[in-house]
Amino acid sequence: MMIVVFDEDREWYIQGSVFEYIVESVPAGMLQDDDLVMHLRPARAMGQLNLQGMEPDRAERIVAALSEGVVGHMRTIDQSNKELVEFYRGLLKVAARRVGND
């Protein structure tokens, strides 16, 4: 299980393998080496990526990268599986949502 905490109202609860697919689908250059070393790799070990305490620029970069990873991974799934497509769309919605702007 992986928990990605965007803020106090936005979280992903996803399987670790789903998180891996998303990270693997992030376009090259969107994540910096220190994003991986300082945040994503430790998050894998702990089962949680908490973006709330990060510098805002880094957190925004990671959110953008994860969102693009979701988009990239969606290209590889069976689009006729409506439940799975909706699951990934839901991830994008949670990642993009701003508090008070539903």
Side-chain angles (χ1 to χ4, degrees):
M1 176 63 72
M2 173 62 77
I3 302 168
V4 179
V5 180
F6 295 95
D7 60 31
E8 60 277 351
D9 296 319
R10 300 180 304 140
E11 297 177 345
W12 285 351
Y13 286 84
I14 56 177
Q15 293 178 342
S17 59
V18 171
F19 182 74
E20 293 303 318
Y21 294 143
I22 290 168
V23 172
E24 289 170 5
S25 299
V26 171
M30 283 197 80
L31 291 170
Q32 298 177 4
D33 288 341
D34 60 339
D35 295 331
L36 293 168
V37 172
M38 292 174 54
H39 299 289
L40 293 179
R41 289 185 185 135
R44 289 175 178 135
M46 297 182 322
Q48 182 178 26
L49 175 62
N50 189 343
L51 299 166
Q52 293 183 97
M54 292 182 193
E55 312 87 48
D57 289 345
R58 181 185 304 272
E60 287 179 23
R61 182 174 58 247
I62 291 174
V63 169
L66 292 176
S67 296
E68 286 300 315
V70 170
V71 170
H73 184 61
M74 283 180 69
R75 292 185 191 114
T76 70
I77 64 173
D78 179 3
Q79 297 299 306
S80 68
N81 184 338
K82 300 300 181 191
E83 287 182 19
L84 189 57
V85 170
E86 282 304 310
F87 168 76
Y88 283 104
R89 285 184 181 154
L91 292 180
L92 287 173
K93 184 177 180 180
V94 169
R97 187 175 54 141
R98 299 290 179 252
V99 174
N101 293 339
D102 291 320

